[in-house]
Amino acid sequence: INKNGVKSIHNDLVMKSPVEITQLEVENIENLEESLVLKYCTKNELEIIGDKLLITPFPANKYKENKLKKDIRVYPVDFGNLSEEQLFFTLTVPDSYELDYAPESNTLKNSELDLEFSYMVQKMESYIQIMIKIKRGKTKYTPDEYKKLKTFYDLVVKSINENIVLKKI
């Protein structure tokens, strides 16, 4: 990032997303002891079906599909580093709409593989907030662990890409 600049982060996000990325802020870029924090807004077209709005909370995410596609694996999976990600989404519900559907909160922990996924939804009258945490505490997974690892990321992909639905009142 220091070599290519913050613009390289913006370009990477844009390449992974069909939406416009605005107001990108990068925190802790100088402090390697702290987590790198990216804050940005997205601007995208809403899908409208009748009197309903379908909203994708995380249109700019790297979990559009599970990268683990094979049914079995004979070599270890090596991620190269540990990972902990947190994603936050807040939607203010317009006055002329009400919440019709929002995904339910759920948590998945696999202590054997040191994996954790939590999807927390807070529904209020005027806004919806979603908080996601994805933690991978190992860098390598054996072929025997592959199926459970793949199943974990299947759930992550499904959950992150689920829509919120607002209905006109």
Side-chain angles (χ1 to χ4, degrees):
I1 295 169
N2 283 333
K3 180 181 175 187
N4 298 323
V6 173
K7 186 73 175 160
S8 67
I9 295 173
H10 181 267
N11 292 343
D12 189 42
L13 285 171
V14 168
M15 300 232 354
K16 292 178 182 172
S17 172
V19 300
E20 182 181 337
I21 306 291
T22 61
Q23 301 175 2
L24 174 65
E25 295 176 33
V26 181
E27 297 177 4
N28 302 329
I29 197 165
E30 301 295 328
N31 187 350
L32 298 178
E33 301 299 317
E34 295 291 326
S35 295
L36 182 66
V37 177
L38 304 179
K39 293 181 180 180
Y40 56 88
C41 294
T42 60
K43 188 176 184 180
N44 61 326
E45 297 293 321
L46 295 175
E47 187 173 349
I48 302 170
I49 299 176
D51 65 344
K52 297 184 180 187
L53 299 177
L54 277 63
I55 300 163
T56 304
F58 302 99
N61 78 73
K62 66 182 182 182
Y63 299 102
K64 290 291 181 196
E65 63 182 12
N66 190 345
K67 307 283 190 250
L68 305 173
K69 298 194 182 303
K70 303 284 185 189
D71 289 331
I72 58 171
R73 187 166 172 112
V74 294
Y75 297 103
V77 176
D78 188 348
F79 287 100
N81 62 341
L82 303 176
S83 175
E84 184 173 325
E85 299 174 72
Q86 294 181 356
L87 306 171
F88 299 93
F89 169 82
T90 303
L91 171 70
T92 302
V93 178
D95 291 335
S96 59
Y97 285 86
E98 67 183 3
L99 179 63
D100 188 46
Y101 173 79
E104 293 298 319
S105 297
N106 69 47
T107 300
L108 174 66
K109 289 185 182 185
N110 185 320
S111 54
E112 174 190 345
L113 300 182
D114 203 359
L115 297 169
E116 181 181 336
F117 173 70
S118 60
Y119 188 98
M120 306 304 282
V121 179
Q122 184 176 18
K123 305 169 198 171
M124 300 299 218
E125 198 167 301
S126 62
Y127 73 90
I128 301 159
Q129 199 167 45
I130 299 174
M131 296 152 283
I132 293 177
K133 178 181 174 184
I134 306 162
K135 179 181 174 257
R136 184 177 32 77
K138 288 174 54 172
T139 59
K140 288 185 181 179
Y141 294 88
T142 67
D144 291 339
E145 296 171 320
Y146 176 77
K147 189 169 186 167
K148 290 179 184 175
L149 182 66
K150 182 180 183 303
T151 301
F152 174 83
Y153 280 105
D154 283 340
L155 175 69
V156 169
V157 168
K158 181 181 179 288
S159 297
I160 288 179
N161 294 295
E162 197 166 2
N163 288 329
I164 291 172
V165 180
L166 301 181
K167 182 171 68 172
K168 194 160 188 78
I169 51 175

